[in-house]
Amino acid sequence: MPFFSSCRGRSTQKRVAWLLNSAPRNLDPQTARDESELIVIKNCFSGLFEKSEGGELVSSFVKHYDVSKNSLEYTFYLYDDIYWSIYEERQIKKYAPIKADDFVFAIERLFTDNPDADVMAILKSIKNADKVLEGEKLSKLGVKVINDTTFKITLSSKNSSFIDAFTNHALFPCNRDFFKSTSGRYGLSYDTMIFNGSFYLKA
């Protein structure tokens, strides 16, 4: 049985290991499905929100968010001092700031790369989602970057479960530039991964 090992990327490092049912082959949060893969992903990546032990939504990325009076527009305001990490030259390094586009790109990738994801049942409430799934340009989707730390999502109909969707691994952020640099191999090897969670993988 293979083990997953990682070290906490802080001043005090902590090595942990899990006994997995199978060796992970795909660590791309947007497309992974296997239980062993998701164990690794949920430790190496973090989403816009997560649930506390008490069931409350908490976030390491969002300073606050606004919801319009008609409950159709959500505007998220991110902290500007949180970074992606990359493991290279046998050490963990800062790669780039985590920006609004990272969360928008993750949503866009689901519409193009994994439209059958479970969370799509909720994302279909985004404005023009059905049209995009039928072939319209992604630019028509009701998701917009305002600036590096702000993005807005417009819905076509109210959805009381919309915020909860962002605890799902498929909506964990994805850095557009790094993803493109991997030439379709994102999450398939150590050198095609960056991390934004509590732990990282090392060779």
Side-chain angles (χ1 to χ4, degrees), residues 32-111:
R33 296 175 181 268
D34 180 79
E35 180 181 354
S36 294
E37 295 167 351
L38 297 183
I39 289 174
V40 179
I41 286 169
K42 290 175 182 178
N43 281 278
C44 290
F45 296 88
S46 294
L48 194 64
F49 293 96
E50 59 184 36
K51 286 192 175 181
S52 68
E53 292 183 0
E56 298 179 344
L57 285 175
V58 296
S59 179
S60 298
F61 303 109
V62 180
K63 288 194 291 188
H64 63 93
Y65 68 93
D66 297 330
V67 183
S68 62
K69 290 183 178 180
N70 63 5
S71 299
L72 295 180
E73 289 189 350
Y74 290 74
T75 305
F76 301 92
Y77 302 88
L78 309 179
Y79 293 104
D80 61 2
D81 59 351
I82 301 179
Y83 286 78
W84 289 100
S85 297
I86 187 169
Y87 183 74
E88 62 180 10
E89 298 176 356
R90 302 182 67 83
Q91 59 182 315
I92 195 74
K93 301 178 180 179
K94 285 183 178 179
Y95 176 76
I98 296 173
K99 298 181 178 181
D101 185 65
D102 298 334
F103 295 96
V104 169
F105 184 51
I107 295 172
E108 292 176 349
R109 284 197 59 220
L110 282 183
F111 277 82

